[in-house]
């Protein structure tokens, strides 16, 4: 389980796997790895879709699953979690002990790590309002490659992890660095108040342009918690676990989910009115909103699209492999990106499975192209690699930047990156990890 | 009841797939004594359902001789499959053309499907 993941990335065996239980044990292991110049790979649950915990050069895999502490500060609305806490555990814990607070949950299985998702800049259901999950981080506890323990954010001074501001922000040294600068042993993450009423709608659109029109209109209304969707492929795969799928002439292109919450039924009704008002003049391009609760009554499994975290196991039913290029980018290129990326997938013989989300109230967008594939089929794996290469170049051309990028992709991105930025990146890496022991090979940083 | 379609299921539109899934999950015990066809136009998608003894054929689009055509929004059609199937008709939310007896047969089948266990 430590040598591979569900992606097409090549497996590689670790030399040792260690499972620390607390900070002190982490520090000891890091010091030993540093002394013997041994690669050290942090591993939370191994469910990233980018080969990020594959020990490319062997060494020590540090599996953090035994570090499972969680503390909640209701007054300041944050929690401090260790890396072993999964979304399933977090949700159960909050629902039972702190029902007035919620976190943001991903379109990912309940057994994925909360802290890994945050420090890898994942996107969750409330990212439509609050942005990528790194923006929920209020502070980190980190073990540096020499064994130094550092705390970033407000907790560096205060007893409370109330905010990342106002000190010089060092959290960023460990966000999206894929474990190449240190081992994150704790993270303070923002919680938000749970509102008692909630409703979710599904709107089918017949073109990406009409989907985009709705996404932008809804995003700027500041009334909705989630604005996200899938291409038609997900709708069909949900109903058909096997066999080829094809878009028929009258199929909608995109399934847009919009979720709202409120303090009263009246507030929900008012938001529903806003939602329906936008599509009043678009009847030729979109279907009227469907109440997801009704869909779930008929097909209980449809809750996979409405309750997060979620297991989209129907994607894995097609051969056990799953990979993607997920990217964040500018609004104005979303339609071109969605259409062009879909064509690339089709050209390589894969269904154009796209996941999209409006981020931070419409400041930017997500384009994530997913490729389920047959893991045991070497030819198909090669086709996947070629397809992902083309797709990533195309997305970069559109100004979209991949997140959780696999090792092979980092150099492709660096080719286009600001030279000063790359120098700074390398200087920081060298300053923090001079012997290059931390997750070597990742981010193309040696 | 066997669910069949002239093309591969993967080529059915979403509307047809939803109907197929509904009958696959809950329509096993349904018996049809007389053959009849219903066309459904739900929003921009359409499907033809042909009920016969022991089978239901589902096709994309409206084709062949249909006994009745049901037209409305996708939401209204889906409410047939999640709530009481007679309400949308009583409220005039669906347009009907053709033989009302075929419509009534269709609604009775949907009603039985909704009330049946898996």
């Amino acid at each position: 389980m430590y040598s591979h993941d569900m992606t097409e990335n090549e497996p590689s065996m670790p030399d040792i796997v260690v499972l620390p239980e607390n900070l002190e044990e982490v520090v000891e292991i890091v010091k030993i790895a540093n002394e013997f110049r041994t690669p050290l790979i942090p591993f939370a649950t191994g469910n990233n879709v980018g080969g990020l915990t594959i020990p490319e050069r062997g060494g020590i895999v540090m599996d953090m699953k035994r570090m499972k502490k969680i503390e909640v500060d209701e007054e300041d609305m944050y929690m401090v979690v260790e890396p072993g806490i999964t979304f399933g555990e977090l949700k159960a814990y909050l629902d039972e002990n702190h029902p007035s607070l919620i976190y943001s949950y991903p379109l990912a299985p309940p057994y994925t790590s909360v802290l890994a998702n945050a420090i890898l800049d994942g996107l969750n259901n409330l990212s439509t309002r609050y942005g990528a999950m790194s923006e929920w981080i209020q502070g980190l506890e980190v073990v540096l490659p020499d064994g130094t323990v550092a705390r970033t954010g407000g907790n560096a001074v205060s007893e409370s992890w109330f905010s990342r501001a106002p000190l010089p922000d060092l959290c960023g040294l460990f966000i999206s660095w894929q474990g190449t600068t240190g081992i994150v042993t704790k993270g303070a993450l923002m919680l938000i108040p749970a509102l008692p009423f909630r409703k979710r709608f599904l709107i089918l659109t017949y073109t990406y342009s009409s989907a985009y029109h709705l996404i932008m209109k809804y995003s700027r209304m500041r009334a909705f918690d989630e604005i996200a969707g899938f291409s038609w492929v997900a709708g069909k795969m949900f109903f058909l676990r096997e066999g080829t799928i094809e878009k028929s002439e009258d199929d909608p292109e995109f399934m847009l989910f919009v979720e709202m919450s409120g303090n009263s039924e009246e507030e929900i009704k008012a938001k529903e009115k806003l939602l329906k008002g936008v599509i009043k003049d678009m009847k030729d391009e979109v279907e009227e909103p469907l109440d997801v609760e009704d869909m779930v009554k008929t097909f209980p499994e449809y809750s996979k699209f409405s309750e997060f975290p979620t297991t989209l196991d129907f994607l894995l039913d097609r051969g056990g492999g799953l990979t993607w290029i997920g990217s964040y980018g500018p609004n104005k290129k979303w339609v071109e990106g969605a259409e062009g990326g879909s064509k690339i997938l089709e050209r390589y013989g894969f269904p154009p499975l796209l996941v999209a989300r409006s981020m931070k109230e419409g400041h930017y967008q997500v384009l994530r192209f997913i490729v389920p594939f047959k893991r045991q089929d070497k030819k198909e794996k090669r086709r996947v690699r070629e397809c992902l290469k083309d797709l990533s170049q195309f997305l970069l051309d559109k100004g979209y930047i991949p997140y959780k990028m696999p090792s092979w992709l980092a150099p492709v991105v660096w080719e286009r990156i600001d030279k000063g930025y790359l120098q700074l990146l390398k200087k920081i890496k060298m300053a923090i990890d001079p012997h290059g022991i931390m997750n070597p090979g990742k981010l193309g940083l040696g | 009841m066997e669910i069949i379609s002239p093309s591969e299921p993967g080529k059915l539109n979403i509307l047809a797939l939803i109907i197929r899934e509904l009958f696959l999950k809950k329509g096993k015990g349904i018996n049809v004594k007389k053959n009849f066809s219903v066309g459904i136009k739900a929003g921009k998608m359409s499907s033809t359902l042909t009920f016969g003894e022991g089978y239901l054929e589902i096709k994309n689009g409206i084709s062949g001789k249909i006994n009745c055509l049901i037209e409305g929004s996708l939401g209204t059609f889906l409410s047939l499959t999640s709530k009481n199937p007679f309400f949308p008709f009583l409220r005039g939310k669906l347009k009907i053309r053709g033989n009302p007896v075929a419509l009534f047969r269709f609604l009775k089948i949907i009603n039985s499907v909704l009330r049946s266990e898996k």
Side-chain angles (χ1 to χ4, degrees), chain A residues 399-418:
Chain A
Y400 274 72
I401 304 170
Y403 59 88
K404 301 182 192 175
M405 59 176 109
S407 295
W408 63 266
L409 182 51
V412 177
V413 177
W414 297 163
E415 272 175 28
R416 300 177 182 232
I417 210 159
D418 172 77

Side-chain angles (χ1 to χ4, degrees), chain A residues 196-210:
Chain A
F197 295 90
R198 177 185 164 219
K199 201 156 190 177
R200 187 171 177 84
F201 287 94
L202 166 62
I203 305 171
L204 302 179
T205 76
Y206 286 91
T207 61
Y208 279 120
S209 299
S210 48

Side-chain angles (χ1 to χ4, degrees), chain A residues 181-201:
Chain A
T181 46
I183 306 267
V184 176
T185 46
K186 260 182 200 166
L189 304 169
M190 180 174 79
L191 295 168
I192 61 166
L195 300 185
F197 295 90
R198 177 185 164 219
K199 201 156 190 177
R200 187 171 177 84
F201 287 94

Side-chain angles (χ1 to χ4, degrees), chain A residues 352-421:
Chain A
L353 178 50
L354 168 68
V355 175
R357 185 182 299 281
S358 183
M359 300 288 279
K360 215 174 178 179
E361 296 186 322
H363 283 86
Y364 60 103
Q365 299 295 319
V366 172
L367 285 172
R368 182 203 289 171
F369 291 96
I370 301 180
V371 187
F373 65 97
K374 296 185 191 87
R375 251 177 89 182
Q376 304 306 328
D377 185 335
K378 283 184 182 168
K379 266 190 188 169
E380 183 150 309
K381 261 188 172 178
R382 273 201 295 277
R383 193 155 50 95
V384 167
R385 286 192 191 108
E386 292 305 310
C387 176
L388 295 185
K389 273 182 199 162
D390 271 8
L391 199 51
S392 50
Q393 291 285 6
F394 168 78
L395 288 168
L396 286 163
D397 286 345
K398 299 291 162 205
Y400 274 72
I401 304 170
Y403 59 88
K404 301 182 192 175
M405 59 176 109
S407 295
W408 63 266
L409 182 51
V412 177
V413 177
W414 297 163
E415 272 175 28
R416 300 177 182 232
I417 210 159
D418 172 77
K419 299 301 170 219
Y421 176 96

Side-chain angles (χ1 to χ4, degrees), chain A residues 6 71 73 77 93 97 163 171 174 188 199 204 221 243 258 277-278 287 322 327 330 349 375 404 414 430 435 440:
Chain A
M6 66 182 101
E71 282 169 34
D73 186 322
M77 290 194 293
Y93 178 83
N97 300 292
S163 160
C171 292
F174 309 97
K199 201 156 190 177
L204 302 179
M221 284 177 159
V258 182
V278 174
E287 296 290 350
L322 188 114
S327 60
R375 251 177 89 182
K404 301 182 192 175
W414 297 163
M430 185 54 78
H435 306 304

Side-chain angles (χ1 to χ4, degrees), chain B residues 2 24-25 42 64 66 68 83 95 97-100 102 104 106:
Chain B
E2 191 189 356
L24 278 176
K25 286 208 157 152
I66 54 167
C68 100
K83 296 172 183 168
K95 277 191 215 162
R97 273 187 263 171
N99 186 347
F104 188 68
F106 174 65

